[in-house]
Amino acid sequence: MLDVNSIPLTEGLYSIPDSSEEEPSLIGSKCIQCGEVYFPKRLRDFCVHCQKTGIEEIKLNVQGVISNFTIAIQGPAGGFYKGAVPYAYGFVDLPEGVRIQTQFSGNLNKLQIGEKVGLVLEKIAEDDQGRDIISYMFELIDE
């Protein structure tokens, strides 16, 4: 469970568990007409795939497969990134057919395309008031 003073990087992308028995989940959308799945969730009740209305909010699977990634050995220019370096980011394919852009957590040297990963919430920085800013990431699943 995360500290009560933790704040999400962006509201509405993921659920934050209230207890240690609950798991976090990404929040997506699904068209009730054609079944198209979106992440992040659609803010309008309109499917860009079938051009119809009828979008419902869904929880996405917490496990997926790495489709590609890169490891950055220095922070990006501009001073906005406050996280650890090196860091890895890339894409994870979920069973619902949606591809998620994400940062990766854990042992970056073990990342491989095709490996199974699971959703985690982790601190990426602190705000000016000292609160932990958290974001979703994916890490390798120990099998």
Side-chain angles (χ1 to χ4, degrees):
M1 186 166 69
L2 298 168
D3 185 282
V4 296
N5 292 320
S6 298
I7 59 172
L9 176 64
T10 303
E11 291 284 344
L13 292 181
Y14 47 88
S15 66
I16 299 174
D18 291 327
S19 71
S20 59
E21 290 83 41
E22 297 178 38
E23 289 187 351
S25 64
L26 294 176
I27 301 169
S29 297
K30 183 176 182 177
C31 175
I32 59 174
Q33 305 296 324
C34 71
E36 186 74 13
V37 176
Y38 298 93
F39 179 80
K41 68 181 177 182
R42 299 272 308 149
L43 298 177
R44 296 182 61 209
D45 188 31
F46 179 77
C47 178
V48 296
H49 181 74
C50 72
Q51 311 292 304
K52 296 182 180 172
T53 59
I55 302 290
E56 64 182 349
E57 186 176 293
I58 62 170
K59 288 184 176 183
L60 297 172
N61 202 303
V62 296
Q63 294 184 2
V65 175
I66 298 172
S67 68
N68 59 50
F69 71 94
T70 190
I71 297 176
I73 58 172
Q74 69 182 46
F80 64 89
Y81 180 76
K82 308 289 187 216
V85 176
Y87 62 95
Y89 64 97
F91 292 91
V92 170
D93 291 334
L94 298 182
E96 294 89 348
V98 66
R99 182 167 279 175
I100 305 293
Q101 185 174 4
T102 187
Q103 191 169 339
F104 291 99
S105 178
N107 187 342
L108 306 182
N109 295 321
K110 291 190 173 187
L111 295 176
Q112 291 185 23
I113 293 172
E115 289 290 323
K116 292 181 183 178
V117 289
L119 178 71
V120 294
L121 298 181
E122 291 196 5
K123 174 183 174 180
I124 59 169
E126 288 183 7
D127 70 3
D128 294 338
Q129 290 83 38
R131 297 176 295 183
D132 292 345
I133 300 172
I134 57 169
S135 184
Y136 71 90
M137 296 184 191
F138 281 82
E139 68 180 2
L140 290 172
I141 295 174
D142 296 328
E143 291 191 14

